[in-house]
Amino acid sequence: MDMVRELHGTIVLICAEDGPPLATERDANDFLGAAWAAEAATVAIPVARLDAAFFRLATRLAGEVAQKFVNYRVRLAVIGDISAHCAGSQALRDFVHESNQGQALWFVRDIAALDARLAP
């Protein structure tokens, strides 16, 4: 079950491990709709909810989803261990590194790491 928490003044929609996957750009609309309903500025999606195509940059899914979240001014946080995905792709490692330097898309190991990122 999804839950809403305030972390350092930011309303965060924390998506449940189970539930429909984010497998297409259109699927992002469901997550954004839930964020708006919760008045959340950040959506935390567990790795388990992301289709494997998200981590294959050639599919463009990660970029399209990230852009959709940016367009609607909602931060996306991918929560969980993505080391297996990164192990086989320098491009993905670079994408994760660059994303984590910004404010729109973060890849963090767990909610505690997200909480630390949101701290002033």
Side-chain angles (χ1 to χ4, degrees):
M1 181 171 181
D2 295 348
M3 67 177 171
V4 177
R5 288 183 48 196
E6 184 175 334
L7 302 175
H8 300 284
T10 299
I11 304 298
V12 179
L13 172 65
I14 302 171
C15 298
E17 288 276 330
D18 57 345
L22 194 161
T24 69
E25 179 190 357
R26 278 182 272 154
D27 293 338
N29 294 338
D30 296 331
F31 292 91
L32 287 165
W36 294 325
E39 298 182 358
T42 300
V43 176
I45 301 177
V47 170
R49 295 279 297 272
L50 298 174
D51 189 86
F54 186 89
F55 299 101
R56 290 191 310 271
L57 296 184
T59 68
R60 302 178 56 135
L61 180 59
E64 291 168 350
V65 167
Q67 188 60 54
K68 184 165 271 201
F69 274 80
V70 166
N71 290 348
Y72 290 102
R73 293 178 168 74
V74 176
R75 177 183 294 123
L76 173 59
V78 174
I79 308 295
D81 182 8
I82 62 167
S83 59
H85 295 286
C86 288
S89 173
Q90 181 63 46
L92 180 60
R93 286 192 299 274
D94 292 344
F95 178 73
V96 168
H97 176 76
E98 290 299 319
S99 296
N100 282 341
Q101 301 306 307
Q103 294 297 314
L105 171 60
W106 293 340
F107 293 84
V108 294
R109 184 167 289 286
D110 52 29
I111 296 298
L114 176 60
D115 183 54
R117 288 287 311 253
L118 291 169

